[in-house]
């Protein structure tokens, strides 16, 4: 299975919709602790998280297509914690700009290779990172909103 140009266009539309939904939600108050009032994760760290994972996916895709060695990384939880610490001082606008830049670079790369090079693994990595991962994190946003509501609910 390969990602045809039409299928890639559809994936990019889906990725853009997820990105825009996230930006609209997180950008309304960038200081809001969106995972709940007791969670220190910021909106900037959320974009940093997506930026890092999209870069990992893009690097793995490029390594697969160009037959390059893959770079080692930590286990997911360790890696997420390391990036969250690294991104603690990241400014929201900078984090969003970094995500947008790596996504644009990833899409341009995929458009620049032959469709037969965009195999099933590449399709799974791209869709998993820029569509499904955002859906998972949108669930965290909803859960966080409910935790905020619960913490301030007047009985």
């Amino acid at each position: 299975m390969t990602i045809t140009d039409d299928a890639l266009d559809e994936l990019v539309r889906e990725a853009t919709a997820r990105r825009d939904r996230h930006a609209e939600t997180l950008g309304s108050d960038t200081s809001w602790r969106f995972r709940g009032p007791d969670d220190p994760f910021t909106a900037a760290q959320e974009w940093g998280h997506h930026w890092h994972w999209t870069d990992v996916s893009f690097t793995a895709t490029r390594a697969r297509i160009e037959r390059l060695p893959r770079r080692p990384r930590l286990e997911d939880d360790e890696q997420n914690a390391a990036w969250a610490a690294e991104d603690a001082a990241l400014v929201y606008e900078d984090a969003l700009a970094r995500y947008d830049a790596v996504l644009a670079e990833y899409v341009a790369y995929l458009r620049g290779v032959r469709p037969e090079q965009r195999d099933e693994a590449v399709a799974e990595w791209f869709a998993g990172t820029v569509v499904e991962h955002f859906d998972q994190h949108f669930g965290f946003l909803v859960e966080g909103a409910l935790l905020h509501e619960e913490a301030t609910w007047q009985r």
Side-chain angles (χ1 to χ4, degrees):
M1 179 193 138
T2 64
I3 307 175
T4 64
D5 290 340
D6 288 342
L8 180 59
D9 290 343
E10 180 57 30
L11 280 172
V12 170
R13 280 191 291 278
E14 288 184 45
T16 301
R18 293 338 189 265
R19 178 257 181 237
D20 292 350
R21 176 183 69 188
H22 235 62
E24 184 177 321
T25 303
L26 293 173
S28 62
D29 180 358
T30 59
S31 66
W32 185 60
R33 302 298 181 169
F34 68 91
R35 290 189 178 189
D38 299 323
D39 192 302
F41 209 67
T42 66
Q45 285 171 306
E46 172 74 356
W47 282 116
H49 175 86
H50 286 290
W51 159 53
H52 288 296
W53 279 116
T54 302
D55 184 56
V56 166
S57 178
F58 178 30
T59 300
T61 295
R62 194 170 39 224
R64 180 176 181 83
I65 291 172
E66 297 175 21
R67 294 185 169 87
L68 302 171
R70 293 196 46 196
R71 67 181 181 203
R73 63 177 180 82
L74 302 172
E75 293 297 319
D76 289 357
D77 288 342
E78 289 178 85
Q79 189 64 74
N80 285 335
W83 285 332
E86 178 184 323
D87 295 342
L90 195 58
V91 175
Y92 178 86
E93 292 78 11
D94 293 342
L96 178 56
R98 288 178 185 184
Y99 172 76
D100 286 343
V102 75
L103 178 62
E105 188 178 1
Y106 198 172
V107 170
Y109 179 82
L110 289 175
R111 289 191 194 287
V113 299
R114 295 183 317 276
E116 60 270 15
Q117 292 177 289
R118 301 184 303 232
D119 64 13
E120 190 170 346
V122 169
E124 288 177 11
W125 292 337
F126 185 73
T129 304
V130 301
V131 176
E132 296 161 14
H133 195 191
F134 272 89
D135 289 344
Q136 177 191 28
H137 278 246
F138 192 74
F140 298 156
L141 297 175
V142 171
E143 289 173 21
L146 293 172
L147 289 171
H148 278 283
E149 183 178 275
E150 183 180 293
T152 60
W153 186 260
Q154 301 295 316
R155 294 187 163 103

